[in-house]
Amino acid sequence: MTEKDVGEALAIERDVFPSPWTRGMFLQELSNEDSYFIVVREKEKLIGYGGFFMIGEVARLENLAVHPDFRRRGVATKLLRELLATVKANGGDETTLEVRSGNQEAQNLYRKFGFLISGKRPEFYGDNREDALIMSKKIVERVAKD
Ligand SMILES: CC(C)(COP(=O)(O)OP(=O)(O)OC[C@H]1O[C@@H](n2cnc3c(N)ncnc32)[C@H](O)[C@@H]1OP(=O)(O)O)[C@@H](O)C(=O)NCCC(=O)NCCS
């Protein structure tokens, strides 16, 4: 993601999240050397984005969204696959995230990638006091056998 992507990402962000990120929040991530944000475009149009930041060896997935007209076509899968590969390439050994307890779509997606529920933050979301589930995935290196 670069600064010129932020306007289109913001339009999706405002459409899909009850407490959307601001332009300033995106720009702050883009200027942070420990953050990594990517976008997916189809025919020039930005249709999805996501990113994480690293704290030591733990990657915290911060944002992931797909334009409502382009869902269920593997866009989030593509984003998450790329993000997790980058976590691994950066030496990360765990990825963690928070998801609304009622957001089954996203939980299904993360479960498909091997994320497990590792905790809960009661009434975490200020807009509706919904609980956050913490989901985590360890990056396991396979040990080659002789
Ligand atoms: C969650 C979200 C990112 C999924 O994007 P997507 O591009 O439609 O996802 P994919 O097509 O890659 O789907 C991958 C898997 O996610 C799950 N999934 C996605 N949409 C789903 C839905 N509507 N119902 C149930 N499971 C769903 C399924 O397990 C799916 O695999 P399958 O198609 O083989 O069943 C998208 O719905 C979105 O942007 N939601 C609003 C923002 C959001 O909640 N972000 C996550 C914040 S933590």
Side-chain angles (χ1 to χ4, degrees), residues 64-66 71-74 76-77 103 105 108-110 112:
L64 182 74
V66 173
R71 292 202 182 146
R72 225 55 205 268
R73 293 173 25 186
T77 299
N103 189 347
E105 296 95 308
N108 287 349
L109 166 73
Y110 298 133
K112 253 184 112 172

Side-chain angles (χ1 to χ4, degrees), residues 12 16-17 47 49 61-68 70-79 97-100 103-113 125:
I12 297 176
V16 307
F17 289 116
I47 59 170
Y49 57 90
L61 192 73
E62 288 194 283
N63 203 336
L64 182 74
V66 173
H67 188 294
F70 295 84
R71 292 202 182 146
R72 225 55 205 268
R73 293 173 25 186
V75 177
T77 299
K78 186 173 169 180
L79 282 163
L97 59 91
E98 276 139 10
V99 57
R100 287 179 189 256
N103 189 347
Q104 286 302 328
E105 296 95 308
Q107 288 171 41
N108 287 349
L109 166 73
Y110 298 133
R111 252 193 302 273
K112 253 184 112 172
F113 275 83
Y125 295 99

Side-chain angles (χ1 to χ4, degrees), residues 29 40 87 136:
E29 292 304 326
V40 171
V87 171
S136 308

Side-chain angles (χ1 to χ4, degrees), residues 103-130:
N103 189 347
Q104 286 302 328
E105 296 95 308
Q107 288 171 41
N108 287 349
L109 166 73
Y110 298 133
R111 252 193 302 273
K112 253 184 112 172
F113 275 83
F115 282 81
L116 298 172
I117 294 171
S118 56
K120 183 164 126 176
R121 298 192 203 286
E123 302 185 3
F124 179 74
Y125 295 99
D127 48 54
N128 65 352
R129 306 182 72 184
E130 192 170 355

Side-chain angles (χ1 to χ4, degrees), residues 37-68:
F37 271 71
I38 55 173
V39 301
V40 171
R41 288 188 176 273
E42 188 172 286
K43 294 182 188 150
E44 310 279 296
K45 183 180 169 65
L46 193 154
I47 59 170
Y49 57 90
F52 65 85
F53 71 82
M54 297 292 299
I55 310 172
E57 286 161 5
V58 177
R60 201 187 137 112
L61 192 73
E62 288 194 283
N63 203 336
L64 182 74
V66 173
H67 188 294

